């Protein structure tokens, strides 16, 4: 009988040891990993924040560097989750064949893929919180609602982790990932409000940005970091959770089709 690759995920707590395995491997290189994830957004933050900030004193009533800080939290979270499920997960699945070894134990493929998603979100949480600490030390955060930001970071990590797993399931090699970055991640970063208000874009592009997950993440993160509650919170959360749920189901189905003959 042909297996039903498109059935709903069947998950169990057996994903936890797989998550733990990834954590133990990462722990050996934890410091370089964290510093690597910090470097890019911190360079953007202070390079553009102070540079463009000299030309643009305020954006939306706050300093440009404070405006940019929220974008960098989401940007760092997105990048960390994306790189993990693309390069690291692909290595474990296709190159190192780690997944094949794990599947010899009483662990299902559904649990393995879910463990990869949870691990990517966990790493994204570390990256996002690290940036959050940096911008807090420089006084760029209003602390009234800052405790709501780490759960949001984790949700953003889940969302982009799930989207990246779709690409991993389809990728024949590492080179394939450049299409994803060039055609999706980079354009989304430029139009979703990371570096400038998205409402300055032409109407047709502005309308398109409302469909992008990064836009919804920033619409939640920026107000929280500037000290006030976001508008349309439920809508933004539902969009992110919808992306995460549908993308994970699709990624799992494609992974089953690839690995379960």
């Amino acid at each position: 009988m042909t297996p039903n690759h498109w059935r709903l995920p069947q998950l169990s707590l057996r994903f936890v040891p797989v998550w733990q395995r990834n954590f133990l491997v990462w722990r050996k290189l934890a410091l370089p990993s964290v510093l690597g994830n910090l470097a890019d957004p911190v360079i953007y933050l202070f390079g553009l924040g102070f540079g463009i900030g000299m030309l643009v004193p305020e954006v939306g009533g706050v300093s440009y560097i404070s405006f940019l800080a929220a974008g960098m939290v989401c940007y760092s979270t997105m990048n960390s989750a994306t790189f993990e499920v693309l390069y690291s997960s692909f290595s474990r699945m296709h190159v190192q064949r780690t997944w094949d070894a794990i599947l010899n134990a009483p662990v299902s493929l559904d649990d393995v893929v879910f463990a990869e998603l949870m691990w990517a979100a966990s790493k994204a949480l570390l990256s996002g919180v690290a940036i959050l600490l940096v911008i807090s030390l420089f006084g760029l955060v209003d602390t009234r609602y800052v405790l709501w930001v780490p759960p949001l970071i984790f949700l953003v990590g889940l969302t982009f982790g799930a989207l990246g797993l779709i690409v991993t399931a389809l990728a024949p090699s590492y080179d394939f990932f450049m299409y994803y970055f060039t055609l999706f991640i980079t354009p989304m970063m430029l139009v979703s409000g990371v570096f400038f208000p998205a409402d300055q874009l032409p109407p047709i592009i502005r309308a398109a940005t409302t469909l992008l997950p990064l836009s919804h993440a920033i619409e939640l993160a920026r107000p929280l970091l500037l000290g006030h509650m976001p508008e349309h919170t439920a809508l933004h959360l539902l969009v992110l959770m919808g992306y995460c749920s549908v993308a994970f189901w699709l990624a799992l189905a494609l992974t089953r089709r690839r690995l379960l003959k």
Side-chain angles (χ1 to χ4, degrees), residues 59 64 67-72 74 187-199 201 206 209 212 214-215 218-219 222:
V59 176
Y64 179 70
F67 175 88
L68 183 62
M72 286 298 101
C74 295
M188 180 170 55
M189 178 187 69
L190 294 175
V191 302
S192 293
V194 174
F195 301 107
F196 54 84
D199 56 15
L201 295 167
R206 173 57 182 155
T209 64
L212 300 174
L214 185 59
S215 295
I218 292 173
E219 288 291 338
R222 182 163 284 133

Side-chain angles (χ1 to χ4, degrees), residues 97-231:
R97 300 288 183 181
T98 303
W99 291 12
D100 289 346
I102 293 173
L103 290 173
N104 287 319
V107 179
S108 70
L109 181 61
D110 293 29
D111 288 327
V112 173
V113 178
F114 186 63
E116 293 289 337
L117 175 63
M118 294 300 292
W119 171 239
S122 301
K123 281 195 69 177
L125 178 63
L126 288 173
S127 297
V129 169
I131 295 295
L132 183 60
L133 290 173
V134 170
I135 63 177
S136 298
L137 289 174
F138 281 88
L140 304 176
V141 172
D142 188 312
T143 59
R144 279 176 286 182
Y145 300 108
V146 73
L147 292 181
W148 291 102
V149 177
L152 173 62
I153 290 172
F154 189 74
L155 175 59
V156 174
L158 286 173
T159 301
F160 284 99
L163 289 168
L165 282 170
I166 296 174
V167 183
T168 297
L170 296 171
S173 68
Y174 293 110
D175 294 336
F176 186 78
F177 300 141
M178 291 306 300
Y179 295 107
Y180 183 60
F181 280 103
T182 302
L183 300 176
F184 183 65
I185 293 294
T186 300
M188 180 170 55
M189 178 187 69
L190 294 175
V191 302
S192 293
V194 174
F195 301 107
F196 54 84
D199 56 15
Q200 295 182 359
L201 295 167
I204 188 170
I205 299 178
R206 173 57 182 155
T209 64
T210 62
L211 303 176
L212 300 174
L214 185 59
S215 295
H216 293 275
I218 292 173
E219 288 291 338
L220 291 169
R222 182 163 284 133
L224 292 173
L225 292 174
L226 295 178
H228 52 90
M229 291 299 294
E231 297 180 355

